[in-house]
Amino acid sequence: MEPTTFVLFGATGDLAKRKIYPALYNLFIDGKLPEAFTLIGLGRRELTNETFRSNVEQSLRTYSRREVQDPAGLERFLQAFRYNVLDVGRIEDYLKLLQVIEQREQELRITKPNRMFYLSVGPEHFETIAANIQASGLGSAQKRLVIEKPFGYDLQSARDLNQKLSKAFSEEEIFRIDHYLGKPMVQKLEILQQSNPVLQALWTNRYIANVQITANETVGVEERAGYYDHVGAVRDMFQNHMLQLLMMLASHLPNHSDSEMVRFKKKKVMEALEPVQKQEISASIIRGQYKAGTIQGKPVAGYLDEPGIASTSMNDTFIAARLQIDDYFWRGVPFYIRTGKRMKEKSTRIVIEFKEPLKETSKDAQAQDHTQAPNLLVFEISPDEGIMLQLNTRDPKHKGEFKPIHIDFHESHEDTPEAYENLIHDALNGDPKFFAHWDEVELSWQWVQPILDAFQANTVPLYPYEAGTYGPAASDALLAEDGYHWWFDE
Ligand code: BG6
């Protein structure tokens, strides 16, 4: 792997502590960091290198998926960490940083500098930082920019942001993190489809009745009222994570596909997504907001009673949608997507429900037996990872009756890398496959924009739902209209 200077803006922030340092440490244990690796942490606070390292160590002890056991290894890992004070708006600070980096590159005898700028800061700083990286000369080397969502607030602001970033970084140099693309099961969707003719052959409207993509969370707004009350579930989860899951699932990939091909196919899915018409929004989009309720035996407050939320807020904490992909493979197959806070359980999964040929073709009453169930293929994404296939067989005790059986595969969590490990490793290798390309981001905002407008104008109902449930009844009705129901709501 190429020598890398990892320049981390927001080095004292929450994301760095919870996700980035533990991810780097686990990559280090697995021998997946470059030999010549330096991390320069940046923040407004004055910190010595020693204090910074001890803070990093603390975060590993608290958040690393694998315990910190080898003191010598830990010491070697921490030696790569340095800290610099930086005010994002002060060009002088960037010039000083450039000196520090160049000195370090010389010490390590790096002849071809390679710098990765990771912006673990609010999006309001992206533009300033990118411009200062360029103006200071920090960017005059091989470089990459890693940024986290949100990429904009709506279509226009996303375009503005991208235009500003592109003055300092080319598209090939920008790695937009959508952490759902780092989840191991999501990364496996590609390989599952490519290497299994059994799935390949079925991946069409000929066999598939509908697809259900769910990301339920039990947490509420937490301490993020200031952010969440402005964005809602539609911007926080739907525009990015949920549409990324849809793209990953619905893409038809050739057997050998590189990053470019994967992203090209994802873009094709977005282009084929039927735009939701203004007058149809209420019929295909359900927005909800949680009321007080009980989750796993614990009473929880309603959204409007959460600290920092205005008592009149119309913000969405739940969204369900019916989408149609108008292409050769998927025409006529509804894709149902839902995500919400304060739901009954934490679960992210994709359910593929197959057509029922017996029901469709047979007039025989026995074949219509209520015990017959459709074939289901389920990808469990989190918290557990797994794949389940539901087939029909015959119940030996009740001759003639169908009996659904489950072929189940579950993976243990302990040995599975976390999303951030996968993504940081890919970014270090310069592999953009599991990062959101600008085209995907732009098309997602474009698709979502009429919904944002309708929410803003309050032209769609806001359905209250009790915390600890699966969302408003209108979300069930959305599927019932088509003769379906959400699977696994128990
Ligand atoms: C984040 C959202 O992107 O994803 C959060 O901002 C949400 O609101 C989180 O809780 C969910 O991620 P995960 O990995 O726990 O499903």
Side-chain angles (χ1 to χ4, degrees), residues 149 179-180 183 217 224 227 236-237 241 341 346:
K149 74 166 228 294
H179 81 279
Y180 270 50
K183 291 185 186 265
E217 296 188 85
R224 303 158 80 210
Y227 156 78
D236 185 48
M237 295 286 291
H241 306 323
K341 300 252 184 227
K346 166 95 181 151

Side-chain angles (χ1 to χ4, degrees), residues 18-32:
R18 283 174 188 270
K19 299 288 180 192
I20 302 174
Y21 301 140
L24 286 168
Y25 179 65
N26 281 284
L27 288 174
F28 170 80
I29 296 179
D30 292 335
K32 288 183 174 169

Side-chain angles (χ1 to χ4, degrees), residues 105 112-115 117 137-144 173:
E105 285 164 348
K112 193 171 156 251
N114 173 35
R115 299 169 191 159
F117 300 98
L138 270 165
S140 50
Q142 176 170 308
K143 61 183 184 304
R144 291 183 192 128
E173 291 171 334

Side-chain angles (χ1 to χ4, degrees), residues 51 238 371:
T51 316
F238 190 91
T371 53

Side-chain angles (χ1 to χ4, degrees), residues 228 230-243 285 287 315-319 339 445 447-449 451-452 455:
Y228 193 80
H230 288 104
V231 299
V234 62
R235 292 182 177 88
D236 185 48
M237 295 286 291
F238 190 91
Q239 177 273 334
N240 37 72
H241 306 323
M242 305 310 287
L243 289 179
I285 309 287
R287 77 168 164 163
N315 192 33
D316 48 303
T317 63
F318 174 95
I319 178 167
T339 178
W445 278 120
W447 195 85
V448 157
Q449 189 63 48
I451 304 173
L452 301 181
F455 284 10

